[in-house]
Amino acid sequence: MRFTPRIHDLYVGKVVLGTVLLVWAVLLGLDVTNGISGQLRDVGRGNFTFSHAIVFTLYTVPRRAYTLFPTAAVIGALMGLGQLAASSELTALRALGLSRRRLSLSVAVTLAILTAGMVLCMETAGAWGQTQADNLKAAAKFGNVARGMYAGLWAREGDTFLNAQSGDLVAGADGNSQLQLQDVRLYQLDADGRLASITHAANAVHVTDSWLLRNVTRTTFAPRSVQQDKLPQENWPSKLDPAALAATLGQPRYMSAADLSRSIDYRTRNSLDARDYEEVYWGRWFYPINVLALCLAAIPFAFGSLRSGGMGKRLFLGIMFALAFWLLQLLFGRMGTALRLDYRLAYTATPVLMLVISYWLFRRRSS
């Protein structure tokens, strides 16, 4: 079946687009209201005010829209097709010779366009907006974005563990901002896992492929002695740049796919557990497949009982389908974590199951 858009495809797509956007707007409005109320508990901490709570939540709108879109898509698609079924327009289109597959394809193309826009939105505006929201909150509560982000920082690079009490952005020689960590300690372990040395620096500034440590005091532990050396400054070669540090501080579900990939590389390089990041990373890649599989599995209901059902029935079916899908996705994801399976297998199971259900329902409606 070749798909060449016709006027009936545009009409079906227009109806479905309208209902999806309507449902989406309602869900997003409720979520934004709930988000604002959730931020009120921080009002009064530092300089964080009610205005900051509003702006913080507005920054997170693209990310919230991305999260709510699958639910809005399945409910909106069912409501749109149910609207056409209730007015006998689906029956008229079927009488013109249009198959269920062709009508479903019209819906799928509309949803695919919206899904592609959501993926792009999350990788750009969603991740950027969440970063701006976090920076706004840190600046309001701590008076300094970097100080709030890097307070009590811990990181690992090979056999060396870094701890910094705070951080600041300072002007570099080229005029660009540089990250400067304050009150830094480097704990180096030997091959047997014993503490080999502790290096304390008043501050550390990142330069190309290394950190410049100032006012350094190093304590080296030998089997039967301890030696202490003091240096005005010293270079510490390390791939632990500010981007990698920032990536380790963010919550995985709010990060872009590129930042998730960098975090996975960093953790893998340092023998750290990266499965939380891998779970979210592969979830981003399977997001479009999940949306389309969920909606295609629900579409067959529009060709049968929905003709005699009202708005409440369509809404109920949409919510039940979305809830069942995400519960299955959560179940397979947790099983993947517990059994240490490849997340690509775990994320494939749910859309495959939904597509099988969709195929069975189509065959049943056709018989």
Side-chain angles (χ1 to χ4, degrees):
M1 178 180 60
R2 293 183 298 177
F3 183 76
T4 303
R6 302 291 178 84
I7 189 171
H8 49 75
D9 297 313
L10 298 177
Y11 179 70
V12 172
K14 179 181 178 182
V15 172
V16 171
L17 177 63
T19 53
V20 169
L21 293 179
L22 177 62
V23 174
W24 202 3
V26 173
L27 294 178
L28 185 58
L30 293 173
D31 192 51
V32 168
T33 303
N34 183 62
I36 293 175
S37 64
Q39 294 301 316
L40 293 181
R41 66 173 65 96
D42 289 327
V43 171
R45 297 184 180 179
N47 295 321
F48 194 78
T49 64
F50 180 73
S51 298
H52 287 112
I54 297 291
V55 176
F56 176 92
T57 307
L58 292 179
Y59 271 129
T60 63
V61 166
R63 189 261 302 167
R64 295 175 186 274
Y66 172 88
T67 304
L68 293 171
F69 175 71
T71 303
V74 66
I75 296 176
L78 276 174
M79 291 180 64
L81 289 175
Q83 177 183 324
L84 294 175
S87 61
S88 300
E89 290 176 279
L90 275 185
T91 304
L93 291 173
R94 294 279 289 123
L96 290 175
L98 295 177
S99 66
R100 291 183 176 91
R101 293 181 181 179
R102 178 57 182 253
L103 292 171
S104 299
L105 186 58
S106 302
V107 176
V109 170
T110 302
L111 294 178
I113 294 173
L114 289 174
T115 303
M118 274 295 93
V119 171
L120 181 62
C121 175
M122 182 59 199
E123 294 304 310
T124 54
W128 174 85
Q130 186 65 48
T131 301
Q132 296 302 312
D134 293 338
N135 290 345
L136 173 71
K137 193 170 187 177
K141 293 176 66 175
F142 299 99
N144 183 289
V145 174
R147 189 171 298 129
M149 287 179 58
Y150 297 101
L153 170 70
W154 282 93
R156 177 181 178 180
E157 181 63 18
D159 293 330
T160 302
F161 293 81
L162 178 147
N163 172 243
Q165 295 304 307
S166 64
D168 291 293
L169 293 177
V170 298
D174 55 358
N176 296 323
S177 296
Q178 291 181 318
L179 175 62
Q180 178 175 274
L181 300 178
Q182 305 290 344
D183 196 6
V184 177
R185 287 174 174 82
L186 302 176
Y187 301 89
Q188 186 174 7
L189 305 181
D190 60 20
D192 296 327
R194 298 187 180 91
L195 184 62
S197 67
I198 300 176
T199 302
H200 176 266
N203 58 67
V205 179
H206 183 262
V207 294
T208 306
D209 297 328
S210 66
W211 290 84
L212 178 61
L213 309 178
R214 298 192 180 99
N215 298 327
V216 178
T217 301
R218 177 180 291 106
T219 304
T220 304
F221 300 95
R224 295 181 178 276
S225 63
V226 176
Q227 180 180 346
Q228 190 174 77
D229 300 307
K230 294 187 177 182
L231 300 170
Q233 64 180 33
E234 182 182 41
N235 277 325
W236 175 46
S238 172
K239 296 181 180 179
L240 195 64
D241 57 10
L245 285 177
T248 62
L249 298 174
Q251 298 186 52
R253 67 180 183 272
Y254 297 152
M255 296 163 62
S256 66
D259 289 337
L260 286 168
S261 179
R262 283 194 291 267
S263 296
I264 293 171
D265 291 340
Y266 161 74
R267 290 176 175 272
T268 302
R269 187 175 70 245
N270 290 284
S271 302
L272 300 173
D273 187 7
R275 291 189 65 80
D276 289 344
Y277 293 83
E278 291 175 352
E279 181 180 3
V280 179
Y281 177 76
W282 288 114
R284 294 287 174 78
W285 284 101
F286 279 87
Y287 180 88
I289 299 175
N290 289 338
V291 173
L292 295 179
L294 173 61
C295 294
L296 287 175
I299 283 175
F301 286 95
F303 298 111
S305 60
L306 285 184
R307 288 179 295 186
S308 58
M311 183 74 70
K313 186 174 184 179
R314 293 192 287 274
L315 185 61
F316 176 78
L317 281 174
I319 293 175
M320 289 299 100
F321 250 88
L323 181 60
F325 181 89
W326 297 122
L327 286 176
L328 282 174
Q329 190 76 284
L330 180 63
L331 172 64
F332 286 123
R334 292 296 178 264
M335 288 179 60
T337 301
L339 301 177
R340 303 195 71 83
L341 300 175
D342 191 322
Y343 281 111
R344 287 169 287 190
L345 296 177
Y347 279 115
T348 300
T350 307
V352 167
L353 179 60
M354 285 295 176
L355 289 175
V356 170
I357 293 174
S358 177
Y359 177 76
W360 177 76
L361 289 174
F362 266 108
R363 292 291 298 273
R364 185 181 178 187
R365 299 292 184 189
S366 301
S367 59

